[in-house]
Amino acid sequence: DMDESVSAGGPTDPVAIRLDANDRDGAPLSGLSVSATLASPTHTGLDRHASLFETETGLYGGLAEPLPPGQYDLTIDAKAGNGATFRPVHRTLITGNGQVR
């Protein structure tokens, strides 16, 4: 189970991306190699990439460059040591004050 969240303090602040990764039984998935991409579905040149690092067991976080308000597709690329890969994609909205919903 992958639970992603995105937050930004404002349009000139970095975008924080967080991933909570658990297996089917709810146990944290540790040791993943994780990267994230935020991409605008309508504007080219607004892609942002971030490497996510494990901050606690099963919790990963990283920062992407600031983005203007709008809708973005968040793609998470997570790879386990055994070669298993996870690639969830979610639509997120960054509002004018940097809030995300």
Side-chain angles (χ1 to χ4, degrees):
D1 182 34
M2 301 279 174
D3 184 21
E4 309 88 19
S5 64
V6 177
S7 61
T12 60
D13 294 323
V15 180
I17 302 168
R18 178 183 155 134
L19 172 69
D20 186 355
N22 298 291
D23 66 15
R24 288 190 176 123
D25 298 323
L29 288 171
S30 185
L32 298 178
S33 173
V34 184
S35 62
T37 302
L38 279 163
S40 169
T42 56
H43 295 86
T44 58
L46 286 181
D47 290 8
R48 301 290 187 264
H49 304 281
S51 294
L52 275 58
F53 301 96
E54 194 166 8
T55 56
E56 295 178 41
T57 303
L59 294 176
Y60 300 82
L63 295 175
E65 294 290 320
L67 281 167
Q71 287 192 345
Y72 296 91
D73 290 324
L74 172 64
T75 303
I76 298 286
D77 280 296
K79 295 180 179 67
N82 64 4
T85 59
F86 312 90
R87 196 163 199 250
V89 179
H90 295 284
R91 177 71 48 95
T92 187
L93 176 68
I94 299 177
T95 63
N97 61 0
Q99 296 302 305
V100 177
R101 55 186 169 115

